[in-house]
Amino acid sequence: MKGSREFKGNSLLEDVSDYVAIDLETTGLDPMYDDIIEFGAVKVSNGIIIDKFQSLINPGYEISPFIATLTGISNEMLASAPSLVPTLSKFIEFLGNYTIVRHNVNFDINFIYDACVNNLGVAFSNNFIDTMRLSRRIFPEEKHHRLSDVSKRFSIGENVEHRALSDAIKAHECYESIKKYLAESNISFSSLYPHTTYKHSSIRAKDIVPTIDVPRDTSPFFKKIFVFTGTLEHRTRKEAMQMVVNLGGLCGDRVTKQTDFLVLGNNDYCKTIKDGKSSKQKRAEQLKLSGSNIEILSENAFYDMMASETFNILKEEFH
């Protein structure tokens, strides 16, 4: 069942007064191979913490020195900690039906979902709010949106302890600061939702042709094939495709063995996606695991790549 999250809750951009802010510490980044070693959560009502939950979890094996150093959780601390199942049951009871708030929340939700399915036989379907996603919508000009960046932006303090309870509290503080900022700036949460003004299917890769004359054969992207999936947050897909062909690249409509780059947009509002990944992303991951040279880029990484290459080409052309 791991990796199949058909009943996962919805990602919200909303102002809620009652919620639970959470954080997990884990042995690694992949729910398929790694395990939870700490739960932390704070229950909030009208901006005030009214209850807390914290527990270490013994994973049944020694954690790596890297994780121990990152979190400050030692194998000695975990040796006397309870096992996952009884603690997970208490944690889920604490969460109830509350909306979950977390920074980069999908990481935690996926771990919780898989743990619930594989150990309790139930799906975890609470809706959730991601303070990282909110930050990206509110401050698109900012380069970084890590928990430490958002905390610093709102003068909460940029230190991130990598311990579950303290980071859950920090996520709560970030969310309350975001709500206050939006209210003071007269910005509604509904305005943060993307407004797609075109249909992806109406754009065909073969219709995008260069609009400028540049020495494209000198570009490392010359004849490299780019494919896009999801809704881009800062440009239309057509605009992004135009950037590619103007630098000598090519665009494709499907991910194939010839695809060089897949650029990931936002899939949150595609109702056919159940586990957070489009069919294009799944295909690209399969190809990469089988030895293909395809690279999977975030939208921001794509813009950074394009901006750097534009600068280099113009420099060669005029100097």
Side-chain angles (χ1 to χ4, degrees), residues 90-130:
K90 294 177 182 177
F91 183 65
I92 296 303
E93 182 180 356
F94 182 85
L95 299 182
N97 294 320
Y98 282 85
T99 297
I100 305 303
V101 170
R102 167 74 166 99
H103 201 76
N104 192 21
V105 70
N106 277 285
F107 175 88
D108 299 71
I109 293 293
N110 291 346
F111 265 95
I112 296 170
Y113 191 106
D114 289 358
C116 285
V117 168
N118 290 290
N119 294 280
L120 304 181
V122 297
F124 181 70
S125 300
N126 294 47
N127 293 334
F128 49 89
I129 293 170
D130 189 350

Side-chain angles (χ1 to χ4, degrees), residues 49-148:
I49 294 175
I50 59 174
D51 203 357
K52 298 179 181 180
F53 184 101
Q54 187 277 332
S55 179
L56 292 171
I57 302 296
N58 186 339
Y61 54 87
E62 290 197 349
I63 63 175
S64 70
F66 170 75
I67 295 298
T69 300
L70 178 68
T71 63
I73 299 173
S74 67
N75 284 298
E76 290 74 20
M77 294 166 63
L78 295 176
S80 58
S83 60
L84 174 65
V85 175
T87 312
L88 176 62
S89 297
K90 294 177 182 177
F91 183 65
I92 296 303
E93 182 180 356
F94 182 85
L95 299 182
N97 294 320
Y98 282 85
T99 297
I100 305 303
V101 170
R102 167 74 166 99
H103 201 76
N104 192 21
V105 70
N106 277 285
F107 175 88
D108 299 71
I109 293 293
N110 291 346
F111 265 95
I112 296 170
Y113 191 106
D114 289 358
C116 285
V117 168
N118 290 290
N119 294 280
L120 304 181
V122 297
F124 181 70
S125 300
N126 294 47
N127 293 334
F128 49 89
I129 293 170
D130 189 350
T131 51
M132 176 184 284
R133 183 177 174 221
L134 282 169
S135 178
R136 284 173 172 164
R137 294 296 172 87
I138 299 167
F139 305 106
E141 74 283 357
E142 296 290 344
K143 186 175 182 180
H144 298 296
H145 299 272
R146 298 163 297 189
L147 181 58
S148 59

Side-chain angles (χ1 to χ4, degrees), residues 192-223:
L192 302 179
Y193 281 96
H195 300 285
T196 305
T197 58
Y198 65 94
K199 295 182 179 179
H200 292 165
S201 59
S202 66
I203 303 171
R204 295 181 299 177
K206 66 179 183 180
D207 295 334
I208 308 298
V209 296
T211 58
I212 60 174
D213 185 18
V214 294
R216 291 181 294 277
D217 58 344
T218 65
S219 168
F221 306 132
F222 185 59
K223 292 188 177 180

